[in-house]
Amino acid sequence: MGKKYVYSFGNGKAEGNGKLKDLLGGKGANLAEMSLRGVPVPPGFTITTEMCRLYWENGQVIPEYLKEEAEAALRRVEELSGKKFGDPSNPLLVSVRSGAAISMPGMMDTILNLGLNDEVVEGLAKLTNNKRFAWDAYRRFMQMLGDVALGIEHEKFEKKLNEVKSEKGVKNDLDLDADDLAKVVEKYKELYKEEGKEFPQKPEEQLWIATEAVFASWNNKRAIKYRQINGMDKMGLLGTAVNVQMMVFGNMGDDSGTGVAFTRNPNTGENEIYGEYLLNAQGEDVVAGIRTPKDISTLEKDNKKAYDKLINTMRKLEAAFKDMQDIEFTIEKGELYFLQTRNGKRTATAAVKIAVDMVEEGLVSKDIVVTRVKPADIEKLLHPAFDKEEVEKAKYFGKGLPASPGAATGIVTFTPEHAEELKAEGKQVILLRPETSPEDIGGMDAAEGILTSTGGMTSHAAVVARGMGKTAIVGAEEIVINPQERTAKANGITVKEGDWLSIDGTEGKVYVGKVKTIKPTGLEGDIRKLLDYADEVADLGVRVNADTPKDAEIAKGFGAKGIGLCRTEHMFFGEERINKMRRMIVSKTKEQREAALKDLLPMQKDDFKGLFEAMQGYAVTIRLLDPPLHEFVPHEESAIKEVAKSVGITEEELRDIIEDLHESNPMMGHRGVRLAITYPEIAEMQVKAIMLAAIEMVKEGKTVKPEIMIPLVGKVNEFTLLKERAEKVINDLLLEHQIDVEYKIGTMIEIPRATVTADEIAEHADFFSFGTNDLTQMTLGFSRDDYGKFIGEYVENGIYESDPFQHIDRNGVGKLVKTAVDLGRGSNPRIKLGVCGEHGGDPESIEFCHLVGLDYVSCSPYRVPVARLAAAQSAVEFKRGKKVNK
C-alpha cells in the first residue's frame, strides 16, 4: 500500500486525529478529532500538507494517484450524507478550504458551494424551496472560482453585478430576486468567455481546479508576508492542507440558522459563552454584517434543543482541547452541525485571565498555560497604549524603530534642559534629538517619550529609554530633527517646539497632536499569578539592569530577583556630581585625582546602599566605570566656558584636555578595564564605595550580595591585576570594620577574545555576564549607533534573518557565547553565567540563553515580566536540568 494523502472524517469516525496538525493542518486535525469524539460535523476529507509540498516540488501538478484517492473519499461523503455530487435531485455541495498547521486567518483561499452547475442549481432551488438562495449561491460560487482559481479579477464580477442592479434601479444585492440573480449568472458566463475561459460545468473538474487554487495560495504574496511577519518560515511547515467538506445550510427556513461562539469571553476572559447567531441565514451573513445578529443566549428561546446541544458540546470541546474554543456552527432544518473549532483569538487581558482560571479549575497545568500567553501580550498590559479609535483619526507624521514600547503624548522640545523645565511646570514632554548622549539623561527622565532621527535598537536612547520604562522611537531617518531651528520635518509637515506630538513605541509610529492613551493595569491579580507560575517552571532567573533605587524598586515589583547590571557611569551626570567628576578628569596628578574622587566616594556609597536596600538580599552586580572619559567633558563653547571656571582652569587648558581625550574609535578605546589600569584610583574609589555600603547594610542586620564586575576584559592578565587590587581594598576594609561580607568579583564578556579564552579567565572569576550589545558590535563589525542606516536592506535581502541587535545572532555571536560557556564551566564548574545586554529582554534571545545553559538574564525594568514568561516558555519547550548557583 502506498503513502496515504487523503484522510476521511465524519459520522463519529476519522482516519486522523487532533495530534496530526503538521500533516492535516489545524482545521483538518480538529475536524477529525471532533468526529472521533462524536461531535456532529459535516462529513468530508483532508488532503495533507505533504501533498502541498509535493505539488510545489513537482512543478505545480496534481498527480493522478491523488485524484483516485480523493474521489474514493468523496464517495464515502456521499454515503454518509445520502446526497450525490452533481445529482440535481439531491445534490451534494462542498466547501474547499485551506488549513495550515498554524492558523493563517484570511491569508489563503476558500471556495464555497462547489458542485453547482446549470442543472444542479435548479435542483437545489426545488430542494430548499428557495429559488433566490439557489441562484445567489450559484453566482457566488462562479465569482469565487473565477477570482480565486482562474485569475479573473474580482472587480470585473462586481461590474457585471452592478449592471444588473443598475438595470433594475436598486443599490443593494438583497434587492435582487431570483430572476435577477439568474441574469447575473448569465453575465458571469459571458465574463468567463471574455477572459478566454469556460465556466466548468462538471463538478469533478471544479473540485480539482479549487484544490489546485488552495495549494497555489500557499505561496501567494499575503501568505508569504504573513509567515515572514510571524516568524513562521523557521517552523518547517510543509504547506497547507485542503479540507473538502459537505455544505450545510442555515438559510432553509426558521428551523435553520448559523453562528459563531466562543467558550469564554475573548475580550475579558470571563468563563461565559460568548457569541452571535442568525436564524434562516448563511455564515457569511453573520460575518459580513448583512443582518444584525442576535446574542447567543437568545437561541435558547428560538431553539432550545439546539441551544442545549450547542452549550454541552462547546464545554466538551473546551475540555478536550484544553483551551478556549472559537466554534462555527450551522443548524439545518433543526439539525446542529459543527463546522470548525480552533483555539480562539483573545485580547491580552483575556489571555492572562483564561490561563490563570484554567489552572485554578484544574483543566490544565502551569507549564501548559505559561505557553498560552505571548510575551508581547504581557508587554501590552504593562505599557500605556493609544486608544485605537483615536489613532484612526490622528495625523500620521513618520516612523522609526520601535525602541521602547508604550504610548506617549506631550509638548515637543529639542533640548534636555527645556524638557526638565517643562516637567517642573507640570507639563508632558516629548524630547526630540538627532541622537542622545549620557548628558541628556535629565531631559530623558523628564520626558514622557523620546524620538531620535538616528541610532539603532541598542543605541543610547533605546537602552536608557527601556531602562526607564520610557516610550521611545529611534532611527526615524525620514524625520529631520533640527535642534537649532527647533523644528522637525517629515512628509510635508513641520512640527515646532511647543506643538503636541504622540509617539507609539510599540509600532514605531509618530502622530501630530494629542492621542488619548489608556493606562496599563500593572502586575496585579491574574497577571501576577501567571508570572508566579512562570517562575516555578523556568530554569533561567531574571534580574534587572538598574542604576537607581527607583528603577530597582520598579523591577522588584515586576518580579526581578536581583540586579544583573548597574551602569555606574549614569550616576555621575547629576548636577552635584558632574563637576566633581570633571575636576577629577582635568587633574594633572594622582593626588589631585584622589582628592576629587574622595568627594565622590560618599555619594557613590549612598548610591550602592540604595540599590542594596531596594533588592533586599538579592545579588547586585555593579559594573566599574566603563565609558571613556571624553563622555563626561563638555563640547559646546558655552559649556566649556562654564566648566573651566567651575573647575579652576582656563578655557584653553580645558580645550587641550578635551582634544587629548578625543579618540578616533572610542568604543574600542581607553575605557573599561583599560581605564581602571591607567587610573587605578577610580576603580579603587568605586570598590571602596561598594564595600562600605555593604558593610553598613550588614551592620544593620541586613543581607547583601555585592558582585563587582570588571568591564571589557579581553585577556586574563587584565582581570587578575584588577581583581588583586580590588581584593586588597576589600580585605583592608573588612579587617578595619571586623566584619565578613559575602562578595563576588567577575567580568563582563563583550570582547571576542574573551569568549575564546574564557577557560583562562574563569579560573579566577566568580561570574561572567555577557554584554551582548558590544559583543555583537565587535563580532559583526557593526556600529550599533549607525547600523540602522543599512540593516533594513540586510534583513530584506535575507543576509540576516532579523536585526542582530534585537535577536541574538546565533550562528555568529551565539557560537562565541556557547564557546565561552563551555570553556568557562570546563575550568570552573561553579561559575555563575548571565547576560546583561539588551538581548536579555528579547524572548527569542532568552530561548537561546536557556539552550546554552545560562543561569540568568538581566534586562530593563519594564521588560522583566516579559523575560519571566519567555524563560518559562523556553523551559517548557526545551527541557534542561537545574543548575547550581542559580
Side-chain angles (χ1 to χ4, degrees):
M1 185 176 177
K3 194 171 182 66
K4 187 175 180 63
Y5 293 105
V6 179
Y7 288 71
S8 294
F9 59 83
N11 198 29
K13 297 179 181 180
E15 294 176 320
N17 58 56
K19 295 179 181 179
L20 298 180
K21 287 186 177 180
D22 287 344
L23 186 66
L24 303 181
K27 189 189 301 289
N30 285 355
L31 285 168
E33 188 67 29
M34 284 194 289
S35 187
L36 288 172
R37 292 177 180 272
V39 175
V41 299
F45 57 90
T46 300
I47 302 172
T48 66
T49 58
E50 212 166 37
M51 179 51 66
C52 181
R53 177 178 61 80
L54 290 173
Y55 170 81
W56 282 97
E57 288 178 356
N58 296 332
Q60 295 175 258
V61 175
I62 292 179
E64 285 300 319
Y65 60 80
L66 175 66
K67 292 183 179 181
E68 293 174 9
E69 194 176 348
E71 286 169 6
L74 185 61
R75 301 288 87 81
R76 286 194 288 273
V77 176
E78 290 177 333
E79 290 172 13
L80 292 173
S81 66
K83 301 177 181 181
K84 190 167 180 62
F85 199 47
D87 181 357
S89 63
N90 189 19
L92 169 66
L93 302 186
V94 297
S95 62
V96 180
R97 300 174 188 262
S98 62
I102 297 173
S103 179
M104 296 169 58
M107 294 303 108
M108 293 176 294
D109 293 325
T110 293
I111 295 175
L112 305 178
N113 299 323
L114 190 144
L116 281 168
N117 58 23
D118 292 349
E119 293 182 355
V120 171
V121 70
E122 298 286 0
L124 184 64
K126 291 179 183 177
L127 185 68
T128 61
N129 197 29
N130 190 334
K131 188 176 179 182
R132 187 193 185 281
F133 153 69
W135 283 98
D136 190 44
Y138 193 15
R139 72 97 183 169
R140 288 174 186 270
F141 168 57
M142 290 183 72
Q143 183 168 337
M144 292 181 83
L145 189 72
D147 178 20
V148 168
L150 299 175
I152 305 174
E153 293 178 9
H154 173 79
E155 290 74 15
K156 293 181 179 179
F157 286 102
E158 288 298 308
K159 185 179 178 181
K160 296 290 185 183
L161 177 64
N162 289 332
E163 286 175 6
V164 176
K165 287 194 286 187
S166 179
E167 289 170 7
K168 189 169 185 178
V170 298
K171 292 183 178 180
N172 298 317
D173 297 0
L174 291 176
D175 294 325
L176 299 177
D177 60 24
D179 292 336
D180 298 324
L181 290 168
K183 290 179 184 178
V184 173
V185 167
E186 290 306 312
K187 284 186 175 286
Y188 281 3
K189 289 178 182 177
E190 291 172 9
L191 176 59
Y192 270 79
K193 290 180 180 178
E194 290 168 11
E195 294 290 314
K197 304 176 189 299
E198 190 77 29
F199 174 73
Q201 289 287 329
K202 293 181 179 180
E204 289 80 5
E205 185 181 354
Q206 296 172 1
L207 178 61
W208 293 112
I209 290 172
T211 299
E212 190 164 353
V214 172
F215 281 153
S217 71
W218 174 251
N219 281 324
N220 67 33
K221 288 183 179 178
R222 65 181 185 271
I224 291 171
K225 187 67 174 176
Y226 185 90
R227 293 197 294 273
Q228 288 173 344
I229 290 171
N230 291 281
M232 292 167 66
D233 286 336
K234 304 174 185 177
M235 298 178 184
L237 301 178
L238 296 174
T240 179
V242 178
N243 297 288
V244 179
Q245 189 174 18
M246 180 185 81
M247 291 286 298
V248 288
F249 302 100
N251 56 342
M252 300 181 81
D254 288 338
D255 60 350
S256 302
T258 188
V260 176
F262 295 79
T263 56
R264 303 192 186 219
N265 189 313
N267 294 320
T268 66
E270 293 295 331
N271 191 355
E272 59 189 13
I273 299 296
Y274 176 98
E276 297 173 326
Y277 80 102
L278 279 170
L279 289 179
N280 196 19
Q282 282 194 301
E284 65 183 290
D285 296 338
V286 178
V287 178
I290 296 170
R291 292 164 55 186
T292 303
K294 297 181 180 182
D295 186 272
I296 196 72
S297 60
T298 61
L299 178 61
E300 187 173 15
K301 295 178 182 176
D302 291 332
N303 189 330
K304 189 173 188 330
K305 181 180 177 182
Y307 176 80
D308 289 343
K309 189 171 184 179
L310 174 68
I311 299 304
N312 290 335
T313 305
M314 288 177 72
R315 292 301 182 201
K316 288 178 182 177
L317 287 173
E318 183 179 89
F321 288 98
K322 300 186 182 300
D323 200 354
M324 184 261 279
Q325 294 298 292
D326 168 5
I327 291 163
E328 295 178 20
F329 66 92
T330 289
I331 304 168
E332 182 182 272
K333 293 185 175 298
E335 191 71 27
L336 177 66
Y337 293 94
F338 287 80
L339 308 183
Q340 175 173 286
T341 190
R342 59 188 174 190
N343 295 338
K345 304 292 184 186
R346 62 207 79 180
T347 65
T349 300
V352 172
K353 177 167 181 55
I354 290 168
V356 171
D357 285 353
M358 285 189 167
V359 170
E360 294 182 346
E361 293 164 15
L363 189 61
V364 291
S365 61
K366 294 174 182 177
D367 62 338
I368 289 177
V369 298
V370 296
T371 66
R372 297 271 177 84
V373 180
K374 297 175 183 176
D377 285 343
I378 296 293
E379 211 155 14
K380 288 175 187 175
L381 293 173
L382 297 177
H383 290 275
F386 286 134
D387 184 285
K388 290 183 179 179
E389 292 183 6
E390 293 286 324
V391 167
E392 289 177 3
K393 303 174 191 173
K395 184 188 288 186
Y396 176 77
F397 185 52
K399 187 174 184 180
L401 299 174
S404 186
T409 186
I411 295 170
V412 169
T413 184
F414 294 87
T415 68
E417 295 79 14
H418 193 219
E420 292 183 72
E421 291 169 12
L422 291 171
K423 175 73 172 179
E425 295 171 14
K427 295 177 179 176
Q428 294 175 285
V429 184
I430 302 294
L431 177 62
L432 273 62
R433 302 286 283 163
E435 60 185 353
T436 63
S437 73
E439 286 191 79
D440 296 338
I441 194 77
M444 295 175 75
D445 184 51
E448 300 294 316
I450 299 112
L451 170 65
T452 73
S453 54
T454 62
M457 294 294 285
T458 55
S459 63
H460 176 267
V463 172
V464 174
R466 280 193 288 269
M468 291 179 166
K470 301 285 183 181
T471 297
I473 296 173
V474 301
E477 300 272 345
E478 65 180 318
I479 300 175
V480 179
I481 297 174
N482 192 324
Q484 287 73 38
E485 295 181 2
R486 306 290 176 98
T487 62
K489 298 179 180 179
N491 297 307
I493 303 169
T494 298
V495 172
K496 300 176 182 177
E497 191 156 78
D499 291 344
W500 282 83
L501 204 65
S502 299
I503 66 174
D504 185 337
T506 305
E507 298 288 334
K509 294 180 180 177
V510 186
Y511 303 92
V512 176
K514 290 184 182 181
V515 178
K516 181 183 176 183
T517 57
I518 301 168
K519 292 183 179 180
T521 56
L523 284 191
E524 298 299 326
D526 291 329
I527 191 171
R528 183 178 290 278
K529 289 179 182 177
L530 178 70
L531 292 175
D532 285 343
Y533 299 162
D535 291 346
E536 292 179 37
V537 172
D539 287 310
L540 283 168
V542 178
R543 298 189 189 182
V544 65
N545 299 340
D547 316 322
T548 67
K550 179 184 174 184
D551 285 348
E553 290 283 0
I554 290 170
K556 194 165 184 301
F558 284 150
K561 302 293 194 295
I563 293 176
L565 173 63
C566 166
R567 301 177 176 94
T568 56
E569 57 270 17
H570 290 172
M571 298 171 169
F572 295 113
F573 284 98
E575 192 174 333
E576 295 180 14
R577 306 182 183 200
I578 189 62
N579 279 340
K580 289 181 171 62
M581 186 66 175
R582 286 166 172 167
R583 188 174 292 114
M584 186 275 294
I585 292 170
V586 303
S587 296
K588 295 179 180 179
T589 66
K590 181 179 179 180
E591 289 72 26
Q592 289 175 337
R593 282 194 295 276
E594 287 176 338
L597 289 165
K598 189 174 181 180
D599 289 341
L600 288 168
L601 176 63
M603 298 177 181
Q604 280 270 272
K605 185 200 74 175
D606 290 344
D607 290 333
F608 300 140
K609 190 173 180 183
L611 294 177
F612 292 146
E613 287 176 336
M615 278 296 111
Q616 299 179 356
Y618 287 119
V620 176
T621 306
I622 299 167
R623 183 177 71 184
L624 301 182
L625 192 66
D626 182 50
L629 295 180
H630 79 85
E631 288 197 11
F632 299 96
V633 296
H635 296 282
E636 297 177 2
E637 282 299 316
S638 58
I640 289 173
K641 186 174 183 179
E642 182 183 333
V643 170
K645 183 179 179 181
S646 68
V647 298
I649 60 175
T650 68
E651 292 175 39
E652 193 58 38
E653 285 177 304
L654 182 53
R655 287 193 189 93
D656 288 343
I657 291 169
I658 293 170
E659 177 62 27
D660 186 56
L661 290 173
H662 173 76
E663 294 179 318
S664 298
N665 191 346
M667 290 307 298
M668 293 185 178
H670 194 187
R671 54 174 286 222
V673 68
R674 302 153 196 171
L675 199 64
I677 289 171
T678 310
Y679 301 114
E681 53 274 12
I682 299 175
E684 182 179 320
M685 180 277 289
Q686 290 193 296
V687 171
K688 187 177 290 187
I690 293 167
M691 293 311 296
L692 284 172
I695 287 168
E696 285 189 15
M697 291 285 289
V698 172
K699 285 182 176 179
E700 293 170 11
K702 296 173 182 175
T703 302
V704 61
K705 293 179 181 178
E707 297 185 347
I708 299 166
M709 184 157 66
I710 300 168
L712 216 71
V713 166
K715 203 168 189 296
V716 66
N717 311 57
E718 293 173 309
F719 180 76
T720 54
L721 177 61
L722 265 288
K723 183 182 179 184
E724 287 170 10
R725 290 177 180 175
E727 286 180 332
K728 184 179 186 311
V729 172
I730 293 168
N731 291 333
D732 287 348
L733 286 172
L734 296 180
L735 184 62
E736 177 186 344
H737 290 272
Q738 292 295 297
I739 201 167
D740 281 330
V741 176
E742 179 187 346
Y743 69 90
K744 296 182 186 297
I745 299 177
T747 185
M748 182 177 273
I749 302 290
E750 51 196 324
I751 292 178
R753 189 183 193 282
T755 66
V756 296
T757 60
D759 50 342
E760 298 174 7
I761 301 171
E763 288 181 18
H764 307 276
D766 297 316
F767 65 88
F768 286 166
S769 183
F770 291 94
T772 52
N773 297 354
D774 273 356
L775 184 58
T776 297
Q777 181 170 234
M778 293 187 188
T779 302
L780 273 59
F782 287 179
S783 165
R784 66 183 186 181
D785 291 319
D786 301 313
Y787 82 103
K789 296 175 182 177
F790 58 83
I791 193 62
E793 286 75 14
Y794 267 54
V795 173
E796 186 178 327
N797 288 294
I799 298 170
Y800 281 95
E801 289 185 358
S802 58
D803 183 337
F805 287 95
Q806 285 186 275
H807 310 303
I808 200 161
D809 166 35
R810 296 193 185 189
N811 287 336
V813 177
K815 284 182 180 177
L816 290 179
V817 172
K818 180 67 165 60
T819 297
V821 169
D822 293 342
L823 290 174
R825 283 224 169 90
S827 63
N828 180 0
R830 296 188 65 80
I831 193 167
K832 186 186 295 182
L833 303 174
V835 62
C836 61
E838 284 303 297
H839 294 107
D842 167 55
E844 187 176 313
S845 302
I846 289 168
E847 178 187 282
F848 170 79
C849 294
H850 170 87
L851 288 170
V852 297
L854 299 190
D855 294 295
Y856 67 87
V857 296
S858 188
C859 58
S860 306
Y862 286 85
R863 300 212 84 188
V864 165
V866 174
R868 291 169 66 192
L869 184 61
Q873 291 178 349
S874 298
V876 172
E877 187 169 359
F878 304 100
K879 298 295 184 184
R880 74 176 201 191
K882 300 277 183 179
K883 299 188 306 300
V884 297
N885 286 340
K886 184 127 184 219

